[in-house]
Amino acid sequence: MGTTVPGVHLGRDLLRGNRVLLALAAVLSLFASAADLTVPWLAMVVTDALTHHQPITRAALCMSTAVLCAAGFQALTGWLLAGIGELAVLRLRCQAMDHLLRLPLHAVRDEGTGALTARVTSDAVALRILIETGLVHLPVALTTTAATLTAMAVIDPVLTLVAVGAFSLAGACIALMTARMKHLADAQQRALGQLAQGLTAHLTALVTVKACRYEAAAARKLGHAAADVRSACLPVSRLQCLIGPVVSVGQQIAVLAVALVAGQQITRGVLSLASFSGFFLYLLHLTSPLAIVALGIGHVQAGLAAQGRFRDLFTITVETDNATPSSLQSTCSEAEAVTFDHVTFRHPGGSPVLDRASFHAPATGLTALVGPSGTGKSTVLTLINRLALADQGEIRVLGRPVDSWPLSELRRRTTYVDQHATLIEGTLRENLHLGLEGPVSDETLLDALEKVGLREAVLCLPRTLGTPLGRAHDLSGGQRQRLAVARALLTDGDIVLLDEPNSHLDGISEGRIVQALVDFSATRCVIVASHRPSIVHNARHVVLIGEDGTVVNGSHEELLATNIHYRDLFSGYATASSGYSEF
């Protein structure tokens, strides 16, 4: 079990500080096994004493003590392994979750959030069983099997050969079954991951599911995924259920064969009744370690499959800081906060979203990203803070190439609000503190909420800023957007990136948000991807992204005068929003 999973080493990381306890558990398990092995021998002594009319008190007391010691050692072993196993699972899950949160967005989407969740939950448990079984139960069971066979051979080698021959038939069957365990366990976990992914996706879209009366169809779709899980789990369950009966059949064959041979030996006076009773008890005792070995091999196979999936997970490259000394010495342009120079970006297997795009955003003022839906406005924002990487060209942020920034520093200097105004599951205060360098007073938080028109609504919540969001208490779409903007206003980043921050707002709320952003942009660069005329009308600079991935930029007035596509687009914006007073 010294194998290394990239990112996690079973011995060094998961069992750190517990290897002595693990060794102690193995020793205690061996003691329990040794105590168990003495019981048949002592029973043989008692039988022999009874046959010769000798006292049995001492032997009976020793036998009782051995039984109690075996039970005590087994209990201590289980207690130790429970603590060691749960701590190993905790460490594995923490490392896996830390790794997951550092993966690029495209990697998480490719794998699926449900499938990744299954890694952290069920795969971690399978790896715990691998540790307990592979490092303690299986080695001890093999040792016990060897010791039992040795004791049987001491009593009667011929009967031992008969028993081994009978059990060999069962062993061959079990070997064939366990050979398939790893493959079947891997298929089982993949099916569970697909079910988890489907369920997560449908629960995330539950409002849409209900609004479109899609519950029955969604249930059928998930039912098919559940049926796939059953199909994958059924062979594993059946094989595991067969192991016990196969071992039992082997035992019964061994008992019959031994009884026939032993009967002849007793008749000839070669084998005493006491020796036969001891041998017979050892034969019955042999079933337990053999069953543990058979089941343990299956558990190890499943654990190895889980280990392989963790290996695959940890080999996915995380986002890394790759700043160089020369890049860190570069200085920020006083005129431009962001520059795109012939930048091309395409999704895997698709046509370019951006095609040799070149534009800039000034260091202060509001910059509007406009264009038809699907032309890459959101992509531009993710390229600026390296949530996505360009295929070609150069992006400079505050005077440095974007790929030479230390990632944590880049994201400290660039505040990003996605178009879903995503909030974490936590208190309202915790959501406002996201991305801030240090603690902020509640009054400062309330001032930011005042700027977006949310202060009174928050003060009316049951626990005001301490109200948990995401479950019993949640905000409307517009309130979530205003809260996300308030969070951005609290940061000290040089660049603020907002994706459709006013798409769910009424006219009054939108006016407050736009004014807050205009005021905020007096000292920093604010880039807003939006279809709303209120943003364009107040923008100092406008970047138009065409359907072919090309880009033109300038002031609102310049583009109105020189670009027919911009005039048509803006006319459409203005018509759709004709109710707004500023137009």
Side-chain angles (χ1 to χ4, degrees):
M1 290 299 145
T3 54
T4 301
V5 177
V8 173
H9 185 283
L10 293 184
R12 183 188 63 230
D13 298 328
L14 301 187
L15 300 176
R16 184 178 65 252
N18 279 330
R19 280 174 282 189
V20 173
L21 289 178
L22 186 67
L24 178 59
V27 170
L28 289 174
S29 184
L30 285 171
F31 284 169
S33 179
D36 268 338
L37 285 172
T38 62
V39 173
W41 196 273
L42 291 170
M44 184 171 63
V45 172
V46 170
T47 303
D48 186 64
L50 288 172
T51 303
H52 295 88
H53 305 287
Q54 295 175 350
I56 63 169
T57 304
R58 183 176 179 181
L61 286 174
C62 290
M63 189 164 60
S64 300
T65 302
V67 171
L68 292 175
C69 287
F73 288 141
Q74 287 175 350
L76 285 173
T77 300
W79 188 83
L80 286 173
L81 286 178
I84 295 168
E86 288 301 333
L87 182 58
V89 167
L90 173 63
R91 288 172 174 168
L92 178 60
R93 284 174 173 162
C94 288
Q95 292 189 47
M97 289 186 291
D98 181 75
H99 186 82
L100 287 173
L101 293 172
R102 298 179 189 278
L103 291 178
L105 288 178
H106 68 84
V108 175
R109 291 165 181 160
D110 289 344
E111 293 290 325
T113 54
L116 293 173
T117 301
R119 304 269 181 94
V120 177
T121 52
S122 57
D123 275 353
V125 174
L127 209 54
R128 169 197 166 171
I129 296 173
L130 171 64
I131 292 171
E132 295 179 0
T133 302
L135 296 180
V136 177
H137 295 315
L138 190 55
V140 170
L142 289 170
T143 303
T144 303
T145 300
T148 304
L149 290 172
T150 301
M152 293 166 64
V154 169
I155 295 173
D156 193 297
V158 175
L159 291 181
T160 303
L161 289 175
V162 172
V164 170
F167 274 114
S168 296
L169 297 174
C173 295
I174 291 172
L176 292 174
M177 290 188 290
T178 55
R180 298 190 59 210
M181 281 291 190
K182 184 177 180 181
H183 171 73
L184 292 174
D186 198 32
Q188 175 182 327
Q189 286 305 113
R190 284 199 303 270
L192 284 170
Q194 290 300 316
L195 176 60
Q197 173 63 26
L199 181 59
T200 300
H202 282 87
L203 289 177
T204 301
L206 190 58
V207 172
T208 302
V209 169
K210 289 181 176 295
C212 297
R213 295 171 289 110
Y214 189 64
E215 294 97 332
R220 285 195 300 272
K221 190 174 182 180
L222 291 173
H224 293 317
D228 291 339
V229 173
R230 174 189 177 275
S231 299
C233 291
L234 192 57
V236 177
S237 300
R238 283 174 171 169
L239 285 177
Q240 290 177 338
C241 289
L242 286 174
I243 288 174
V246 168
V247 173
S248 179
V249 167
Q251 181 195 46
Q252 297 302 321
I253 294 173
V255 167
L256 290 173
V258 166
L260 290 173
V261 176
Q264 295 176 1
Q265 290 181 333
I266 292 173
T267 302
R268 296 198 309 266
V270 177
L271 182 68
S272 68
L273 183 60
S275 296
F276 173 70
S277 65
F279 187 93
F280 193 77
L281 288 175
Y282 275 120
L283 180 60
L284 297 178
H285 181 273
L286 187 61
T287 305
S288 177
L290 285 178
I292 293 173
V293 169
L295 291 171
I297 292 174
H299 290 154
V300 168
Q301 295 279 33
L304 290 173
Q307 179 179 313
R309 287 186 292 275
F310 273 108
R311 179 181 293 109
D312 294 340
L313 171 63
F314 284 111
T315 53
I316 301 175
T317 305
V318 299
E319 294 178 318
T320 57
D321 286 344
N322 56 351
T324 61
S326 59
S327 68
L328 295 178
Q329 293 171 4
S330 61
T331 58
C332 170
S333 167
E334 294 183 359
E336 298 173 359
V338 176
T339 302
F340 275 51
D341 186 8
H342 293 88
V343 172
T344 297
F345 175 85
R346 59 170 55 82
H347 295 294
S351 57
V353 178
L354 297 176
D355 188 12
R356 298 184 297 279
S358 296
F359 65 89
H360 70 275
T364 59
L366 181 62
T367 296
L369 284 177
V370 299
S373 297
T375 54
K377 299 185 294 296
S378 299
T379 298
V380 168
L381 301 183
T382 58
L383 289 170
I384 293 172
N385 71 345
R386 266 172 58 192
L387 288 171
L389 300 177
D391 297 310
Q392 297 176 4
E394 183 184 57
I395 302 171
R396 298 183 70 84
V397 176
L398 301 176
R400 301 178 190 169
V402 69
D403 56 359
S404 68
W405 275 87
L407 193 57
S408 58
E409 178 67 9
L410 173 67
R411 291 179 181 170
R412 187 186 71 81
R413 303 285 292 273
T414 58
T415 301
Y416 175 67
V417 175
D418 67 86
Q419 62 183 308
H420 304 295
T422 306
L423 306 178
I424 65 167
E425 190 170 286
T427 66
L428 200 146
R429 183 184 291 106
E430 289 171 334
N431 274 276
L432 287 172
H433 272 97
L434 287 177
L436 302 184
E437 291 297 306
V440 175
S441 68
D442 284 358
E443 192 55 43
T444 301
L445 300 181
L446 291 172
D447 286 344
L449 293 172
E450 177 68 30
K451 293 177 183 178
V452 298
L454 205 55
R455 179 186 178 114
E456 295 304 319
V458 169
L459 292 177
C460 290
L461 292 173
R463 296 167 60 182
T464 62
L465 290 170
T467 302
L469 300 179
R471 294 197 180 183
H473 300 285
D474 205 356
L475 303 178
S476 68
Q479 288 175 323
R480 292 169 73 90
Q481 284 191 321
R482 284 186 282 168
L483 181 62
V485 172
R487 183 175 66 207
L489 297 178
L490 289 165
T491 64
D492 59 356
D494 299 281
I495 302 172
V496 178
L497 311 170
L498 302 107
D499 197 352
E500 299 285 358
N502 52 352
S503 58
H504 297 293
L505 301 181
D506 59 78
I508 295 175
S509 297
E510 181 177 4
R512 298 189 70 161
I513 291 292
V514 172
Q515 187 58 53
L517 293 178
V518 170
D519 294 342
F520 198 54
S521 68
T523 58
R524 69 204 70 210
C525 172
V526 177
I527 303 176
V528 182
S530 179
H531 293 95
R532 305 297 281 265
S534 57
I535 293 293
V536 178
H537 181 77
N538 287 277
R540 172 183 170 184
H541 192 72
V542 178
V543 177
L544 170 64
I545 304 176
E547 293 182 338
D548 57 356
T550 58
V551 171
V552 293
N553 63 124
S555 69
H556 173 55
E557 292 75 14
E558 291 171 347
L559 293 179
L560 276 178
T562 62
N563 193 290
I564 187 172
H565 298 296
Y566 182 77
R567 286 198 300 272
D568 292 344
L569 184 69
F570 184 73
S571 176
Y573 285 175
T575 300
S577 304
S578 58
Y580 289 99
S581 59
E582 61 263 42
F583 287 92

